[in-house]
Amino acid sequence: MSDVQTPSPADSGVVIVTGASRGIGKAVAQRLTAAGYPLALVARSADTLSGLAEDLGGNVKAYPADISDWDAVQQVVASVQEDFGAIYGLVNNAGMTRDGLFVRMTPEQWQAPLDVNLNGTFFFMRAVASLMMRARQGRIVNISSVIGLTGNSGQANYAASKAGIIALTKSVAKELGGRNVNCNAVAPGFINTEMTADLPANIRDAMLAQIPLKRLGEGNDVAGVVEFLLSPAAAYITGQTLVVDGGMIL
Ligand code: NAP
């Protein structure tokens, strides 16, 4: 038996969820609110975010910000701490793609997903780490991608950002574990959101054919795993990457 007690969601402290305005992040926000967590939602679209916070009810507040801006991230974390007190969890979910063939990729195109996906994840982790270490409690969940494990033609920039998140997760798990702060990654496969909505039908069908569970994932499939990683049941898991892809990359 572990002698480390994890409090109930309502008493645990707030969970910050980035990219909460739609897709996987919204599903995570809905699921965590239902589980009883106080939430701090982050994304750039201020109106959508505050509308969602209102709809969710409970103890949920919106903090509109661009996660690729270090000063903005520090400001968000300071405000969350002021509004809620202890920060229990951080779900680094916000992300973007800027696809293109590698041989034609411009430095700007290369940089864009790194700025948002990798830097944004680092900025939030860096801003909460010392608070969690001091509290001797914290759970960080970083949303990577199966593309960070396998690579993908046309997504060298995105793949590098998502592989970077996995290496960052393992390193931080090693550094923060001694202070009871767990840090894990989730690698979704093909999830039905705006990010994947524009894929041509033939590519969608080809991907579907590779999925043993014979369906695309839904935001809630990822949200359930995030909830698990924040829960007492996952207290002894750190530095891992949980693949949520219906078996696609087996
Ligand atoms: P999505 O529907 O495009 O949503 C992306 C979210 O990130 C939105 O809430 C967006 O809000 C926010 N965001 C983007 N850039 C931001 C920035 N600079 N600052 C703050 N917020 C920002 O994407 P999704 O499919 O839900 O994906 C969520 C995460 O899962 C991403 O990290 C993605 O890489 C990963 N993932 C998705 C899939 C998939 O198949 N969908 C597969 C593997 C991994 P605003 O536009 O309002 O800022």
Side-chain angles (χ1 to χ4, degrees), residues 19 21-22 24 44-45 66-67 93 158 162 189 191 193 196:
S21 61
R22 58 176 188 266
I24 293 172
R44 289 163 306 177
S45 344
D66 183 339
I67 66 157
N93 162 79
Y158 180 75
K162 292 298 185 177
I191 310 298
T193 68
T196 48

Side-chain angles (χ1 to χ4, degrees), residues 105-122:
M105 192 169 281
T106 63
E108 186 280 330
Q109 204 177 353
W110 163 256
Q111 194 61 43
L114 288 165
D115 282 344
V116 176
N117 305 351
L118 189 53
N119 287 4
T121 298
F122 162 71

Side-chain angles (χ1 to χ4, degrees), residues 163-174:
I165 286 175
I166 292 171
L168 174 63
T169 300
K170 290 181 186 175
S171 304
V172 171
K174 288 184 177 185

Side-chain angles (χ1 to χ4, degrees), residues 58-228:
N59 199 0
V60 182
K61 279 188 167 26
Y63 300 85
D66 183 339
I67 66 157
S68 66
D69 178 339
W70 168 234
D71 292 338
V73 170
Q74 282 183 296
Q75 185 56 58
V76 167
V77 171
S79 304
V80 171
Q81 205 191 0
E82 209 175 289
D83 295 344
F84 288 94
I87 298 173
Y88 169 68
L90 166 65
V91 182
N92 275 309
N93 162 79
M96 53 92 76
T97 52
R98 186 68 61 80
D99 296 354
L101 288 178
F102 178 71
V103 289
R104 293 202 207 115
M105 192 169 281
T106 63
E108 186 280 330
Q109 204 177 353
W110 163 256
Q111 194 61 43
L114 288 165
D115 282 344
V116 176
N117 305 351
L118 189 53
N119 287 4
T121 298
F122 162 71
F123 290 163
F124 263 102
M125 290 170 81
R126 176 69 180 72
V128 303
S130 48
L131 303 174
M132 289 180 170
M133 287 168 80
R134 230 174 288 140
R136 297 283 197 280
Q137 170 184 276
R139 298 287 176 90
I140 301 171
V141 181
N142 296 323
I143 306 300
S144 176
S145 167
V146 290
I147 303 304
L149 295 166
T150 62
N152 197 22
S153 169
Q155 291 195 306
N157 50 1
Y158 180 75
S161 74
K162 292 298 185 177
I165 286 175
I166 292 171
L168 174 63
T169 300
K170 290 181 186 175
S171 304
V172 171
K174 288 184 177 185
E175 281 195 36
L176 271 54
R179 304 295 176 94
N180 193 33
V181 177
N182 305 36
C183 182
N184 291 288
V186 176
F190 192 173
I191 310 298
N192 207 2
T193 68
E194 266 182 45
M195 188 176 270
T196 48
D198 292 341
L199 283 176
N202 59 331
I203 295 188
R204 249 180 128 76
D205 291 348
M207 291 182 91
L208 198 51
Q210 288 171 36
I211 300 175
L213 289 180
K214 295 295 166 213
R215 66 172 177 90
L216 303 187
E218 298 298 330
N220 202 37
D221 291 315
V222 180
V225 176
V226 171
E227 184 188 350
F228 164 67

